[in-house]
Amino acid sequence: MDRDELAELKVRLCRLEDESAINRLIMSYGPAADAGLTTVAGQLWSSDGEYDWDANGTPYAGSAGVDAMLQGNRHQSLINAGIGHFAGPLLIDLDGDSATALNYSMIMRREGERFYLWRVSAVRWDLTRSESGWRVRRRTNRLLDETGVGRQLFGDALNELFVEAVDT
């Protein structure tokens, strides 16, 4: 193996390691939130990050804001009644120390003895590499409902990340 091939192999390995780290970070959110480990879930965000979960609401600010949201009565009552966050596979686009990931977020709720799918959202994760590893700079959630905001989130992101890259 020559020097160029070794350099290319190193680049490919680093990319796979980054994708694995991003996958682990994002997939940690749901179990941490459902277990009531609010600090663990909050620490996935950078201190100046945002969690924009409602098209008409104010985003939660930083890791402390996410932690506080998860400690709130609404979230605590949901996990106490039985709820499960499920994240679909990630579509990751890496760009140096920044990355964007898209996936579906599904929330299951318990009613009596059965669970049912309660919400399905389109999610965009904007991430940044820090000294302590990858962190969420911004998570944007939009329901996939009749308003079309979820479809728009996916469409805009796919156009930005992939269509424009093909056109250049």
Side-chain angles (χ1 to χ4, degrees), residues 4-5 13 15 36 49 80 93 110 120 124-125 143 158:
D4 289 341
E5 290 172 322
L13 177 60
R15 179 179 181 82
N80 288 332
D93 182 67
R110 193 170 130 254
V120 180
R124 175 181 173 142
W125 302 81
L143 281 177
L158 289 168

Side-chain angles (χ1 to χ4, degrees), residues 10-37:
K10 181 180 178 186
V11 167
R12 290 171 54 199
L13 177 60
C14 288
R15 179 179 181 82
L16 290 172
E17 288 175 336
D18 283 340
E19 287 182 3
S20 179
I22 289 167
N23 189 67
R24 183 178 176 89
L25 175 87
I26 291 172
M27 292 303 186
S28 297
Y29 175 76
D34 294 339
L37 300 174

Side-chain angles (χ1 to χ4, degrees), residues 36-70:
L37 300 174
T38 64
T39 302
V40 171
Q43 288 176 350
L44 303 175
W45 270 256
S46 60
S47 59
D48 62 345
E50 291 185 327
Y51 183 0
D52 180 1
W53 69 279
D54 179 358
N56 300 312
T58 302
Y60 295 102
S63 53
V66 173
D67 185 0
M69 178 268 296
L70 294 172

Side-chain angles (χ1 to χ4, degrees), residues 79-95:
I79 64 172
N80 288 332
I83 194 168
H85 290 75
F86 179 79
L90 301 173
L91 178 59
I92 300 172
D93 182 67
L94 285 166
D95 185 16

